Amino acid sequence: MFHVKHDVVVVGAGHAGCEAAAAAARAGAKTALVTLNQDAIGRLSCNPAMGGIGKGHLIREVDALDGIIGRISDLAGIQYRLLNRSRGPAVRGPRAQIDRAAYAAAMQAEIAATDGLTVVEGEVADLTVDGGVVTGVRLADGRTLTAAAVILTTGTFLGGVIHLGEKTWTAGRMGEAAATDLSHRLRALGLPMKRLKTGTPPRLAASSIDWDALPEQPGDADPVFLSTMTTAPALEQRPCHVTGTNVETHAVIRVNLTRSAMYGGGITGVGPRYCPSIEDKVVRFADREGHQVFLEPEGLTSDLIYPNGISTSLPEDVQIAMVRSMAGCGRAEIVQPGYAIEYDAIDARALAPTLELRALPGLFLAGQINGTTGYEEAAAQGLLAGLNAARLAGGAQAVTMSRDVSYIGVMVDDLVTNGADEPYRMFTSRAENRLSLRADNAGERLTAWGETHGLIGAARKAHHAASMAAKQAAVERLRGLAITPNEAAGEGVGINRDGRRRDGFELLSHPEGGWRVVDRFCPDLETLPREVRDSLEADALYRTYTDRQMTVAAETRAADALAIPQDLAEQPIPGLSNELRQKLIARRPATIGEARRISGMTPAGLALIAAHARRAVA
């Protein structure tokens, strides 16, 4: 029987799988990436876009750890927009429209060029388990790949079922087979599984749309890229256009609701709250007469248009009527209908913060199998799972990421502590320390950590060192300024005439100041890289608040580090409610920090647990 030994085997070559495989290989592991179809590596399953608010933050963090999603996105970017540009820097999110074909080609080239990484075509039908530890995978054709660690990144393929009106069939996505045997195997292992659902809109022929009737939405003239390594767009830039549903559209949908898989009883999985189908929008927001729809190009050489905002599982004839009721789409042709897809996921509370299954050592999970939605969330999990799988294979201790220093840490902690009753999406509001966790300072927060753990290559290391040196020199320059109130007033900055001189940071953060004024006093700083200038300005704006946040975070970390003995849940804790005791038994938190984040945990209950934990270790 064909048998190959690797350090790490990654199952699935979507965004989580590619990032996991690349990270494991960078960390020194001999890695195999198993995919049903090599030509499908890096395929964008749904929208042709990357980033946004929260999601763009995740991409910047993966990029800071020398991950690949940001660089590959910039090789395929055809429009850039910084979302929330008018708001504070903490909530600004870089976003890009992506050429599907260019992205897949660039990702496949990246994977092929990665040292220590081999692509294996085939269907994973089984896991090999020895003594309760995962030791590899068995393919449907009988081949066996053994490894010290296996990472499942199955996306919507695990037990996938497509719903289109009254029609239903087994598939991982349109035109591709589902991973049915692996789904049965995971259920047989007794893992806590659930059904989730997502959907996609129809794809339209660009040549059938009346573009002159629609307002254009151009990209930013001064693009902010997804990777800090990018200096200019790689491809020609294209606009999007805007249309929308209306009273006629909603009438078509209401009349046909029972023919929708969502409302006809055919779907049991829970869908994403923050990316609802158009059927959901019409029902939940019955008072709205219309919803905005963005017509997004799928590439420079593609005739396909992605109508962002009308994800649906209505029958094809209804989809045609719905689309043609929208402005500019009266003659629109549907090339591929929209559909809903149900798939298997595992309750992420079964995972350790390393993304390894607690009950099945050697098996890591990343992406939609953990209950998340989105390319960016998947890639971020993939990187952490890949790093820890490589460390397990090399005999090193696993690492975790704290929620007070990264959005990756926020997401993983949310998942492993509370699970996901619906597909999880990252928002900046999920982070307690979001003023510190900005897209502009991801490298400052994470690159040195990544270098410590073997993730950072030479080019990234040099880029980061240059950025940090430039920023440190600029910090010293700004602190060294001593601007009098009269000098500031001469530049249009009204400050108290109290005789006190202001440094550059105070001028940067002043409503009438900013770089316009600072550059007058420090013209040498005008040549700083944009990323450094953005970071300095955000530091100046938030420094009072971030200093306070860092102090509180340090105090919380110290308190949360208290270990909880594994048998504590079995011991009587007078005063602790039965509800909290049951949650303690089910979750078995390793530290007070993990116990704190159990859903429904009260300050009084946490104090009782902490007191008993201290006595147990005394």
Side-chain angles (χ1 to χ4, degrees):
M1 180 175 291
F2 187 87
H3 182 99
V4 179
K5 170 69 176 175
H6 293 85
D7 296 321
V8 175
V9 170
V10 180
V11 181
H15 305 287
C18 288
E19 207 68 62
R26 285 202 311 282
K30 180 184 177 184
T31 305
L33 177 61
V34 186
T35 176
L36 289 168
N37 179 2
Q38 190 163 332
D39 293 335
I41 292 174
R43 183 170 290 170
L44 302 177
S45 295
C46 195
N47 59 314
M50 288 286 184
I53 302 164
K55 291 173 174 286
H57 291 69
L58 284 174
I59 288 184
R60 278 293 185 86
E61 291 188 352
V62 172
D63 183 64
L65 293 168
D66 217 8
I68 56 180
I69 188 172
R71 289 188 291 104
I72 300 302
S73 293
D74 284 340
L75 289 174
I78 58 175
Q79 185 195 97
Y80 292 90
R81 295 185 68 218
L82 183 64
L83 305 190
N84 274 350
R85 185 181 284 269
S86 63
R87 300 183 63 188
V91 294
R92 293 174 191 162
R95 184 182 189 273
Q97 291 297 139
I98 302 296
D99 182 308
R100 285 187 190 275
Y103 185 93
M107 182 63 79
Q108 289 167 26
E110 176 77 20
I111 294 297
T114 300
D115 292 338
L117 176 56
T118 302
V119 175
V120 177
E121 275 195 329
E123 178 188 354
V124 172
D126 198 2
L127 299 173
T128 57
V129 181
D130 184 9
V133 176
V134 171
T135 58
V137 300
R138 185 171 294 111
L139 306 187
D141 60 10
R143 286 177 292 168
T144 298
L145 306 178
T146 62
V150 173
I151 308 172
L152 297 185
T153 67
T154 49
T156 60
F157 284 71
L158 193 65
V161 175
I162 284 180
H163 299 267
L164 175 54
E166 298 92 348
K167 296 186 291 185
T168 297
W169 67 96
T170 299
R173 58 188 168 207
M174 186 68 81
E176 297 183 56
T180 304
D181 289 344
L182 184 57
S183 173
H184 294 330
R185 173 59 164 149
L186 294 180
R187 289 184 182 279
L189 286 168
L191 299 179
M193 300 184 72
K194 61 177 74 175
R195 294 289 280 176
L196 295 178
K197 167 258 173 188
T198 190
T200 192
R203 307 303 197 269
L204 312 179
S207 56
S208 68
I209 295 173
D210 181 6
W211 297 109
D212 292 337
L214 300 173
E216 187 176 279
Q217 185 188 61
D220 292 341
D222 55 339
V224 174
F225 301 108
L226 293 176
S227 171
T228 58
M229 302 282 280
T230 304
T231 57
L235 299 178
E236 175 189 338
Q237 301 296 284
R238 290 285 176 87
C240 295
H241 289 75
V242 183
T243 183
T245 63
N246 51 51
V247 173
E248 180 185 349
T249 314
H250 294 188
V252 169
I253 293 168
R254 287 193 183 98
V255 168
N256 291 282
L257 270 179
T258 56
R259 299 182 65 198
S260 162
M262 278 292 297
Y263 287 86
I267 293 178
T268 59
V270 180
R273 179 188 310 183
Y274 303 104
C275 187
S277 67
I278 187 60
E279 298 98 296
D280 274 339
K281 291 180 184 178
V282 169
V283 171
R284 287 163 50 186
F285 308 106
D287 56 326
R288 290 277 299 272
E289 293 186 350
H291 296 277
Q292 200 169 50
V293 177
F294 296 94
L295 299 180
E296 301 175 348
E298 297 216 345
L300 298 180
T301 60
S302 173
D303 187 51
L304 296 182
I305 295 296
Y306 181 95
N308 194 336
I310 55 169
S311 173
T312 183
S313 62
L314 286 161
E316 293 179 62
D317 62 310
V318 181
Q319 291 187 36
I320 292 172
M322 173 182 73
V323 167
R324 291 182 177 176
S325 70
M326 300 189 304
C329 299
R331 298 180 298 104
E333 296 292 335
I334 292 180
V335 179
Q336 176 184 294
Y339 60 88
I341 184 165
E342 279 188 293
Y343 55 94
D344 285 334
I346 289 177
D347 188 335
R349 289 173 293 186
L351 297 170
T354 60
L355 297 182
E356 184 179 21
L357 271 169
R358 296 177 187 270
L360 202 55
L363 183 61
F364 295 78
L365 309 179
Q368 284 175 287
I369 192 172
N370 289 338
T372 59
T373 181
Y375 308 144
E376 305 83 355
E377 290 87 347
Q381 293 170 72
L383 185 141
L384 181 60
L387 171 59
N388 276 323
R391 292 180 69 81
L392 176 64
Q397 186 175 3
V399 296
T400 60
M401 300 187 73
S402 169
R403 66 182 296 127
D404 61 319
V405 297
S406 69
Y407 275 99
I408 300 175
V410 170
M411 173 178 61
V412 172
D413 186 61
D414 284 349
L415 291 171
V416 303
T417 302
N418 296 318
D421 293 330
E422 60 191 35
Y424 177 101
R425 177 178 179 175
M426 178 51 69
F427 294 103
T428 54
S429 59
R430 294 190 186 275
E432 300 86 348
N433 300 321
R434 58 184 172 274
L435 299 185
S436 302
L437 308 185
R438 307 186 307 267
D440 64 79
N441 69 357
E444 191 170 351
R445 289 184 281 116
L446 297 174
T447 301
W449 183 90
E451 188 174 351
T452 298
H453 298 302
L455 284 175
I456 308 302
R460 173 75 54 181
K461 182 178 179 180
H463 173 81
H464 176 67
S467 294
M468 290 301 95
K471 182 171 182 179
Q472 184 55 43
V475 166
E476 293 173 5
R477 187 82 170 87
L478 292 170
R479 286 176 176 164
L481 281 180
I483 308 302
T484 67
N486 285 339
E487 288 173 326
E491 299 299 333
V493 180
I495 57 179
N496 291 334
R497 296 179 180 272
D498 52 9
R500 184 173 68 83
R501 294 175 180 268
R502 268 67 174 184
D503 69 13
F505 280 104
E506 290 180 89
L507 292 181
L508 268 182
S509 63
H510 196 282
E512 296 168 351
W515 281 112
R516 175 190 66 82
V517 174
V518 171
D519 287 342
R520 296 281 293 171
F521 295 101
C522 299
D524 52 305
L525 297 185
E526 289 187 66
T527 58
L528 281 173
R530 174 177 174 168
E531 64 180 282
V532 175
R533 285 169 67 89
D534 288 348
S535 183
L536 286 165
E537 188 172 18
D539 286 348
L541 181 64
Y542 292 133
R543 64 177 176 172
T544 300
Y545 306 100
T546 54
D547 287 349
R548 187 180 309 146
Q549 278 188 352
M550 289 174 65
T551 299
V552 171
E555 293 171 350
T556 302
R557 275 199 306 273
D560 285 355
L562 177 64
I564 298 177
Q566 283 299 294
D567 62 351
L568 185 68
E570 313 295 343
Q571 301 173 16
I573 302 179
L576 191 68
S577 69
N578 286 332
E579 178 188 359
L580 290 181
R581 183 172 180 274
Q582 290 302 316
K583 289 184 176 182
L584 195 64
I585 292 171
R587 183 68 183 91
R588 294 190 180 277
T591 65
I592 288 296
E594 290 183 26
R596 182 192 304 280
R597 291 182 287 276
I598 292 176
S599 177
M601 180 58 68
T602 63
L606 191 68
L608 288 168
I609 294 169
H612 278 72
R614 289 190 188 97
R615 283 197 289 270
V617 298

